[in-house]
Amino acid sequence: MRAPLIFLILIILAVLALVGYNSGWFGTPSSAPTHTTAGDILPGGPLPDGATAEPDEPVGDGGAEQLPDEAQAEAPVDPVKTPDVPSAGSFGHFAAGDLLPKSGSGYLDRTAWSPQLCFPFAEDAFANSQVYGAGGGMGPQDKPSQCDASNYSLPWRDNFCESRGHASPLCANGKGHQGQDIRPATCKKDKHWVVAAEDGIITDMGTYTVTLTGSAPPHRVYRYLHMRMNQLAVKEGAVVKAGDNLGKASNDFGGTPTTIHMHFEIRSGVAGTSTDGKAVKLHTFLPPYQSLVAAYDRKRAGQACQ
Ligand SMILES: [Zn+2]
């Protein structure tokens, strides 16, 4: 008679324990979800009105670039209307956001995101479009060579937000080229040094990318693409000073090479707002052009990087 009684008591205790657990009598289990209100965002769930999803990280090395001969959809008409003439300055350059006509949506932000940027080449260099310029996949038919003099002379030209499929939140249509393309002093690969944009640490290396994270707040993240990866001057984890050599401008792009140029990105270390009122989240791609122009001015004036 005694065994069934003990068995019954054990069952009652087990039921009580289960009910108590689910009712929170013993506190909320750490792995159990707490209540979900209507406003909560579940992973993968819809975002509240007005919110935008974090832009996808480029897969692996990126997708931040594309092959010069890769087919592209026709670019939308540039909604950013600025005079198609060089702006005033100490060297010839078109204004920030003034992309080649019909090469992309452009952008309106005018923040110099890295005001003390160290110009990322040791020598002169030429910011312009490697896709829509001479020798590019969308370039002029009568200029088939990437070594055309037009690519290696002033004026500079902005190409942030040039037509691409990648998420780039500050672009007028939310998509576009996530950095600035810069050609080295001459059309010769593996020769011209690319240097550190500020004091920092080499935090990542891909098959054709090198990432530098600034040591000082706001911990900007700079990404350099297409250097000669088997001849780099730094390794992952290296501590570098502004102006230190990182590697040589080349055309590394994983498999099929790209044109000889360095794709340069600045990503935000903190949240903020662009001058046209767009939300800048952590690691949002930022337009580098204004900072590059100022850095090149300082370089040309003989100022050392700090
Ligand atoms: Zn690029």
Side-chain angles (χ1 to χ4, degrees):
M1 286 299 287
R2 186 164 286 185
L5 185 64
I6 290 172
F7 184 67
L8 186 64
I9 289 169
L10 282 173
I11 293 220
I12 290 168
L13 283 173
V15 167
L16 282 171
L18 193 63
V19 169
Y21 181 85
N22 283 338
S23 304
W25 295 350
F26 316 124
T28 305
S30 61
S31 61
T34 52
H35 71 285
T36 302
T37 65
D40 284 344
I41 305 300
L42 296 171
L47 291 165
D49 288 346
T52 52
E54 195 69 28
D56 290 339
E57 287 284 324
V59 178
D61 269 15
E65 280 287 42
Q66 66 185 76
L67 296 168
D69 57 355
E70 186 177 328
Q72 299 179 58
E74 182 147 347
V77 175
D78 185 353
V80 182
K81 293 297 176 192
T82 46
D84 193 20
V85 293
S87 59
S90 60
F91 71 98
H93 62 274
F94 289 90
D98 192 359
L99 277 61
L100 279 169
K102 299 196 169 155
S103 67
S105 71
Y107 64 98
L108 292 170
D109 175 51
R110 294 296 177 264
T111 311
W113 290 102
S114 182
Q116 290 306 312
L117 176 74
C118 179
F119 187 66
F121 279 88
E123 303 159 273
D124 285 340
F126 303 96
N128 53 46
S129 172
Q130 62 98 19
V131 170
Y132 290 81
M138 300 290 281
Q141 301 274 315
D142 60 337
K143 291 182 177 176
S145 171
Q146 64 165 308
C147 295
D148 191 276
S150 61
N151 289 339
Y152 289 86
S153 54
L154 299 175
W156 277 17
R157 192 111 205 192
D158 196 343
N159 83 328
F160 186 75
C161 295
E162 197 170 78
S163 188
R164 301 286 196 283
H166 313 299
S168 199
L170 295 198
C171 297
N173 64 359
K175 293 190 297 183
H177 191 226
Q178 298 160 324
Q180 174 68 44
D181 292 330
I182 313 172
R183 300 183 202 259
T186 70
C187 190
K188 186 162 176 53
K189 66 179 181 178
D190 310 339
K191 179 179 180 188
H192 304 289
W193 283 107
V194 170
V195 305
E198 63 174 270
D199 295 359
I201 297 170
I202 303 302
T203 46
D204 187 62
M205 279 194 187
T207 51
Y208 58 93
T209 65
V210 173
T211 303
L212 164 65
T213 302
S215 298
H219 305 298
R220 302 175 191 90
V221 178
Y222 301 93
R223 203 160 64 152
Y224 303 75
L225 276 64
H226 314 308
M227 290 190 281
R228 174 57 63 207
M229 296 299 284
N230 61 8
Q231 295 177 21
L232 292 176
V234 291
K235 290 189 165 85
E236 193 166 318
V239 176
V240 297
K241 302 292 282 182
D244 282 357
N245 288 341
L246 301 182
K248 290 174 175 175
S250 195
N251 60 353
D252 275 19
F253 194 15
T256 310
T258 180
T259 59
I260 299 164
H261 76 283
M262 192 270 283
H263 166 105
F264 182 70
E265 293 171 357
I266 305 177
R267 296 169 76 169
S268 178
V270 294
T273 310
S274 66
T275 60
D276 56 330
K278 293 192 172 182
V280 172
K281 297 179 182 176
L282 183 67
H283 294 173
T284 290
F285 294 98
L286 303 170
Y289 191 81
Q290 298 241 113
S291 302
L292 284 165
V293 168
Y296 203 48
D297 275 340
R298 288 191 292 274
K299 178 179 176 57
R300 290 166 60 95
Q303 293 181 30
C305 292
Q306 298 173 0

